[in-house]
Amino acid sequence: MGELIQIGAALCILVAFTLSQLGKVDQKSLGYLVLNAVGSGVLCEIAVAQRQWGFTMLEGVWCVVSLVSLLHSRVGSRSAPTRPRPGPVSRSQR
């Protein structure tokens, strides 16, 4: 069962990375950040339990960066004023 959890967590990170490289998701998108945070968080917990300190550091930093980015993207989207985007300017308006 433990190996299935590890594989699932690794797949979260790998799916996010692959979709990003294929141009299917933005690296600042909710889905990308959540997949990275979940996958790296689970792998970090497993590494701590197994006292694999290098792996703990790698996955821990990966998780923290993903969570901070997720927080920034959510806070930024709430606090940003919503302005209508200007449409194309016609020649008569120039």
Side-chain angles (χ1 to χ4, degrees):
M1 177 76 167
E3 286 187 19
L4 287 177
I5 293 171
Q6 283 181 331
I7 290 169
L11 282 173
C12 285
I13 296 169
L14 293 171
V15 165
F17 177 73
T18 301
L19 291 175
S20 171
Q21 292 301 303
L22 294 174
K24 303 292 183 183
V25 296
D26 183 2
Q27 291 180 354
K28 295 181 180 180
S29 70
L30 177 65
Y32 178 86
L33 294 171
V34 167
L35 283 171
N36 272 296
V38 169
S40 59
V42 169
L43 290 175
C44 182
E45 286 189 37
I46 293 168
V48 168
Q50 296 178 358
R51 296 180 178 214
Q52 296 178 356
W53 305 123
F55 195 50
T56 297
M57 185 173 68
L58 172 68
E59 295 302 333
V61 170
W62 194 311
C63 183
V64 168
V65 169
S66 296
L67 290 173
V68 168
S69 298
L70 190 58
L71 179 65
H72 280 260
S73 71
R74 295 301 110 200
V75 169
S77 67
R78 287 188 194 146
S79 63
T82 55
R83 295 183 199 159
R85 293 188 178 236
V89 177
S90 68
R91 289 186 179 179
S92 64
Q93 292 176 324
R94 290 184 195 167

